[in-house]
Amino acid sequence: VKLSFTGLSNTEKGRSGTIAMLQDVTDQEKLEDSRREFVANVSHELRTPLTTIKSYVEALEDGAINDPQLAGKFISVTRNETERMIRLVTDLLQLSRLDSKQATLSKEYTNVFEMLEEVADRFSFQLEQRGIKIVIEVAPFLEEIKIDRDRIDQVLDNLVSNAIKYTSEQGHIRIGARLPDPDMLEIAVQDNGIGIPKKDLSRIFERFYRVDKARSRNMGGTGLGLSIAREIVRLHGGNVWLDSEFGQGTKVTFTLPYPGDEEAAL
Ligand code: ADP
């Protein structure tokens, strides 16, 4: 519970020192709790693939190595689990860089339509494999926007890869860009996939929060994609939110200052 000073009378103000301390303690405890939870999550996420690797290597030692077919299968599981750990550690490193106050943006002018087309190109193999159609719709006469291209690419990659992961075969994805305000670009990635139940929506941007852990793991997810996307968008001075209807689909929208070059806007 957060205590606040508003509405206190003069006599109550006399005790405000105590109240301020209580608030500090509560905030401090919340921070400690979330740190503990984060470390527990990281440990668990790393332990799971390590345990799997250990048991497959043991099975190989115990004789599976002499059965070429079985051995091949076990080695490929081991490689997949190693790749999962690398993805996880890469995501964690990135989050920690974004968290540290030194995170800086290296901005360049970017053509929005070309950027979105390139995202779709990066996923063309997966899209084709799963029979998912993608359309890009960009408002006409968009100027180039000044953004950290690598980082916004990462946001788009995370959102499009989610849209693919959580959409069944023959699904549809739409990436749209428009100007809801003259000084704001809005990009939305929408799918007609499995959607997210109402009860999970408020926690979906939390680190490691997943609706279905098994499904996310099977699809190669780390549970950090949306948190990373949110950090990057906020660093640009934008906002990100998610609308979803369970069983119908999901739309993730983010905004960026447009054209993103303060000097030019003067
Ligand atoms: P993950 O690596 O698990 O995909 P994210 O942080 O990217 O982690 O997403 C968190 C969770 O949000 C996912 O596990 C999934 O349950 C849900 N989610 C994200 N995007 C979508 C989407 N487009 N459709 C349905 N569920 C989604």
Side-chain angles (χ1 to χ4, degrees), residues 41 44-45 208-218 221:
N41 275 327
H44 176 77
E45 294 294 331
F208 295 116
Y209 193 85
R210 291 176 275 200
V211 176
D212 180 344
K213 271 213 154 117
R215 186 182 178 119
S216 157
R217 279 181 55 81
N218 281 343

Side-chain angles (χ1 to χ4, degrees), residues 22-231:
L22 271 177
Q23 173 168 359
D24 271 1
V25 171
T26 327
D27 285 350
Q28 187 73 28
E29 271 176 6
K30 266 195 204 148
L31 198 67
E32 282 297 313
D33 277 354
S34 69
R35 277 210 189 109
R36 260 195 296 273
E37 195 186 327
F38 183 67
V39 172
N41 275 327
V42 171
S43 315
H44 176 77
E45 294 294 331
L46 283 171
R47 200 171 197 278
T48 312
L50 281 171
T51 314
T52 312
I53 291 170
K54 181 171 182 275
S55 58
Y56 278 86
V57 171
E58 277 168 4
L60 283 165
E61 269 182 342
D62 289 347
I65 199 157
N66 298 317
D67 177 340
Q69 226 185 340
L70 205 57
K73 217 172 120 196
F74 286 7
I75 288 168
S76 113
V77 173
T78 306
R79 207 203 44 230
N80 282 339
E81 292 299 300
T82 316
E83 279 164 2
R84 168 195 305 290
M85 285 202 300
I86 294 173
R87 262 200 312 277
L88 183 64
V89 173
T90 308
D91 279 1
L92 283 170
L93 268 175
Q94 196 176 5
L95 260 182
S96 114
R97 281 201 203 107
L98 290 167
D99 278 346
S100 75
K101 297 282 171 280
Q102 305 113 343
T104 52
L105 295 175
S106 131
K107 292 187 180 179
E108 57 189 288
Y109 285 101
T110 305
N111 178 306
V112 177
F113 184 66
E114 280 171 20
M115 172 173 74
L116 299 182
E117 266 199 330
E118 283 171 28
V119 191
D121 283 347
R122 284 197 288 281
F123 286 95
S124 58
F125 179 72
Q126 279 185 52
L127 287 162
E128 199 169 315
Q129 233 183 0
R130 316 238 358 249
I132 296 175
K133 293 262 174 303
I134 194 161
V135 294
I136 298 170
E137 281 169 22
V138 172
F141 313 119
L142 271 191
E143 281 177 54
E144 293 201 328
I145 185 171
K146 202 171 182 195
I147 49 172
D148 187 323
R149 178 64 196 271
D150 286 347
R151 287 207 159 102
I152 296 299
D153 271 343
Q154 163 106 58
V155 173
L156 290 165
D157 283 357
N158 289 357
L159 301 186
V160 172
S161 88
N162 278 348
I164 297 173
K165 276 193 274 186
Y166 304 108
T167 299
S168 52
E169 309 238 329
Q170 317 302 331
H172 289 273
I173 296 172
R174 176 188 171 275
I175 313 180
R178 62 183 197 109
L179 295 176
D181 285 320
D183 56 0
M184 184 195 277
L185 177 75
E186 188 184 277
I187 299 183
V189 177
Q190 183 168 17
D191 63 62
N192 65 344
I194 61 173
I196 298 169
K198 279 229 154 40
K199 66 172 177 46
D200 297 297
L201 279 176
S202 64
R203 301 194 59 193
I204 211 73
F205 284 94
E206 286 177 25
R207 295 168 188 196
F208 295 116
Y209 193 85
R210 291 176 275 200
V211 176
D212 180 344
K213 271 213 154 117
R215 186 182 178 119
S216 157
R217 279 181 55 81
N218 281 343
M219 304 304 294
T222 61
L224 295 173
L226 285 179
S227 334
I228 292 175
R230 183 168 68 174
E231 296 301 330

Side-chain angles (χ1 to χ4, degrees), residues 232-256:
I232 294 173
V233 169
R234 283 185 174 168
L235 212 56
H236 276 82
N239 226 323
V240 58
W241 65 95
L242 185 150
D243 302 289
S244 188
E245 202 64 58
F246 188 49
Q248 305 278 312
T250 301
K251 180 177 172 187
V252 187
T253 313
F254 65 96
T255 55
L256 294 168

Side-chain angles (χ1 to χ4, degrees), residues 107 109 146 236 257-266:
K107 292 187 180 179
Y109 285 101
K146 202 171 182 195
H236 276 82
Y258 175 84
D261 182 346
E262 293 79 354
E263 288 100 30
L266 289 174

